[in-house]
Each structure stands twice: as structure tokens, then as C-alpha cells.
């Protein structure tokens, strides 16, 4: 009798117990899947999307509060009131001046762009590569991009060297005597490697997001230009008598 026959003849598949064992087997199966996911979670977590650690991860209420602050902005607002609103918006992960943010959210509404789209989130995250003020739309700075890319590359290189040193240390412990201290050390080294790879992935992803941010900013600038032109046309439009 093989293993399958033994399982079939066991009490698990008895007619009197099917009503109990059926849900029990399903529960055990689901629990096993969740347990496996927990075991491999650090590896999935490494490649989890990291764009917009600020705005995207806000609660719904905080997002609504941020949008209210942006919608309430007017060009005639008192300057200190504008500064206070911008300080509050920075806590929400929105680092651009209020006029730019107002045009930004008008753009994603008019063009039906989702708030979790890569271009939008990249634009929010990569404000450091743009030149802008309250009267001009963001334009990418080649000098800033080069500086950030050099800094990111150098940091990633240092982290890669560090990972190799960790692997060498783990390799030296591989043939060592098995004891509690060595096991704990190897587990600690594994956790360090996972977190280091995570940091490397974040840096590489943010570097690539520069491209998405630049593409998005060009579309936003075109939208802003067309919007202002339309406003001027409507303002000075001569109505026939």
C-alpha cells in the first residue's frame, strides 16, 4: 500500500468526519501559505516599491487635508499664510511651492492620472533635481542630476564592497565549529545583507525615477503653458457687440 492509499484510508477522509476535516485541511493549507510568505517576506520586501515614502503612504484624512490646503491657495494670500501652508505640506511629502502644487493636482485631475502612477510619484520624490520657484515651473538641472548620480553611484559602490566583506565573514564561519554564537552571527550577517540590498535597491530605483520625473515635468510644463495661454485668451477676449 502506497502513501496515497494510506491517506485515503485514514480517518481524515472518513464519511463521518468530512464535514470537519474538509475545512480543517483548507485552514491548514492557508496557514501553510501564509507561513511560507512570512519566511520569504524579507526577499519580497527588498523589491517592494519605494516611490513617494511621504505622500503615497499618508492616510486618507491626511491626503484630504493636503488637498484642502492646496485648493485654498490664492495669489492674493498673505505671504506668512503661504509659508505656513507650505511647511505643513512638506510634512505630507509635498516639497514644491503652493502654485506648482495647485497646477500639479489640476493636471492629474484634468488628464485623469492616478495618484499612484510612476510619473506623478517620481516627480514628487525627485524635487531635488529641479530648478523652480513660486513663479516658474520646475525644469530639470543637468548639474544637479550629475551630482546626485555621482553621489548615488559612490554610495552604492561602498555598500556593494560592504556586502562582499560580510559574505567573506560568513564564509569564514562556514567551516567553523557549530555553536550558538556562530549561528547568531551568521543570522545577523544575513539580516545585514538583506537590509543592505534593500538600501541599494532603493537608491537604484530612485536614480531610475529621475527619468520618469523629467518626462512628467515636461508634460506638466506644457499643460501649465497651455492653461495660462487659455486664461489670457479668455481674459482679453473681445465679446461681439
Amino acid at each position: 500500500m502506497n502513501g496515497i492509499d494510506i491517506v485515503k484510508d485514514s480517518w481524515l477522509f472518513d464519511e463521518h468526519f468530512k464535514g470537519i476535516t474538509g475545512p480543517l485541511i483548507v485552514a491548514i493549507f492557508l496557514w501553510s501559505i501564509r507561513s511560507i510568505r512570512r519566511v520569504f517576506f524579507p526577499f519580497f520586501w527588498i523589491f517592494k516599491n519605494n516611490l513617494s515614502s511621504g505622500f503615497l503612504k499618508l492616510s486618507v484624512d491626511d491626503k484630504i487635508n493636503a488637498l484642502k490646503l492646496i485648493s485654498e491657495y490664492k495669489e492674493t494670500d498673505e505671504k506668512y499664510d503661504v509659508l505656513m501652508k507650505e511647511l505643513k505640506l512638506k510634512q505630507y511629502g509635498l516639497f514644491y511651492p503652493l502654485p506648482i502644487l495647485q497646477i500639479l493636482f489640476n493636471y492629474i485631475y484634468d488628464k485623469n492620472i492616478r495618484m499612484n502612477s510612476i510619473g506623478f510619484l517620481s516627480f514628487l520624490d525627485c524635487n531635488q533635481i529641479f530648478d523652480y520657484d513660486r513663479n516658474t515651473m520646475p525644469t530639470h538641472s543637468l548639474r544637479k542630476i550629475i551630482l546626485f548620480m555621482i553621489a548615488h553611484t559612490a554610495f552604492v559602490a561602498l555598500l556593494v564592497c560592504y556586502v562582499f566583506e560580510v559574505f567573506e565573514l560568513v564564509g569564514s564561519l562556514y567551516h567553523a565549529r557549530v555553536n550558538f554564537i556562530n549561528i547568531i552571527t551568521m543570522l545577523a550577517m544575513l539580516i545585514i545583507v538583506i537590509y543592505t540590498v534593500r538600501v541599494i535597491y532603493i537608491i537604484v530605483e530612485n536614480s531610475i525615477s529621475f527619468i520618469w520625473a523629467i518626462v512628467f515635468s515636461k508634460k506638466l510644463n506644457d499643460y501649465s503653458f497651455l492653461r495660462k495661454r487659455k486664461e489670457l485668451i479668455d481674459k482679453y477676449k473681445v465679446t461681439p457687440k
Side-chain angles (χ1 to χ4, degrees):
M1 183 180 291
N2 56 33
I4 296 176
D5 293 332
I6 293 173
V7 173
K8 286 182 178 180
D9 293 337
S10 67
W11 65 273
L12 289 172
F13 292 93
D14 188 271
E15 292 292 335
H16 299 88
F17 293 100
K18 277 187 177 180
I20 299 174
T21 57
L24 183 61
I25 292 171
V26 173
I28 293 173
F29 178 72
L30 293 175
W31 176 83
S32 300
I33 292 176
R34 289 178 182 175
S35 299
I36 293 171
R37 286 183 61 185
R38 287 174 184 172
V39 170
F40 289 99
F41 175 75
F43 303 98
F44 297 139
W45 174 72
I46 288 173
F47 302 105
K48 187 179 178 182
N49 190 291
N50 297 284
L51 291 173
S52 189
S53 57
F55 184 75
L56 185 63
K57 295 180 180 179
L58 290 175
S59 66
V60 174
D61 290 338
D62 285 339
K63 285 190 178 80
I64 291 172
N65 290 335
L67 291 174
K68 283 182 179 178
L69 290 174
I70 295 169
S71 65
E72 291 169 356
Y73 168 75
K74 295 181 179 59
E75 292 183 0
T76 56
D77 285 350
E78 204 269 335
K79 57 184 179 182
Y80 289 104
D81 185 46
V82 172
L83 288 173
M84 286 187 290
K85 287 181 178 178
E86 289 179 349
L87 285 173
K88 184 64 177 177
L89 290 170
K90 285 180 180 179
Q91 293 181 343
Y92 293 143
L94 301 170
F95 296 97
Y96 294 100
L98 268 168
I100 295 175
L101 290 173
Q102 199 168 68
I103 294 172
L104 171 64
F105 283 95
N106 286 335
Y107 172 66
I108 66 171
Y109 176 82
D110 292 343
K111 299 299 181 180
N112 198 26
I113 297 172
R114 294 178 291 108
M115 286 191 183
N116 61 347
S117 66
I118 294 177
F120 172 69
L121 297 179
S122 298
F123 181 75
L124 290 184
D125 282 351
C126 299
N127 62 292
Q128 68 272 17
I129 67 170
F130 293 103
D131 290 325
Y132 56 86
D133 55 40
R134 289 188 180 84
N135 300 315
T136 58
M137 293 299 293
T139 55
H140 66 276
S141 168
L142 185 61
R143 180 183 65 84
K144 290 182 178 179
I145 292 174
I146 292 173
L147 288 175
F148 273 98
M149 290 300 294
I150 291 173
H152 284 190
T153 303
F155 190 58
V156 168
L158 288 173
L159 289 176
V160 170
C161 292
Y162 178 70
V163 169
F164 278 114
E165 289 183 2
V166 171
F167 276 126
E168 287 181 3
L169 178 59
V170 172
S172 66
L173 294 173
Y174 181 76
H175 297 289
R177 187 178 61 181
V178 177
N179 55 43
F180 178 77
I181 295 176
N182 286 343
I183 292 174
I184 294 298
T185 303
M186 291 188 71
L187 289 175
M189 293 299 102
L190 177 61
I191 293 172
I192 290 172
V193 169
I194 290 173
Y195 272 88
T196 306
V197 173
R198 165 75 168 174
V199 173
I200 292 173
Y201 175 72
I202 292 173
I203 295 173
V204 172
E205 184 187 45
N206 287 338
S207 299
I208 296 173
S209 67
F210 288 175
I211 300 171
W212 294 103
I214 292 170
V215 173
F216 185 89
S217 69
K218 289 182 178 179
K219 294 179 181 179
L220 183 63
N221 285 336
D222 291 341
Y223 170 83
S224 177
F225 173 77
L226 293 174
R227 186 183 178 90
K228 288 181 179 178
R229 188 177 70 173
K230 183 177 182 302
E231 289 175 354
L232 288 173
I233 291 173
D234 292 340
K235 183 178 180 179
Y236 295 103
K237 185 176 182 182
V238 179
T239 56
K241 296 182 178 179

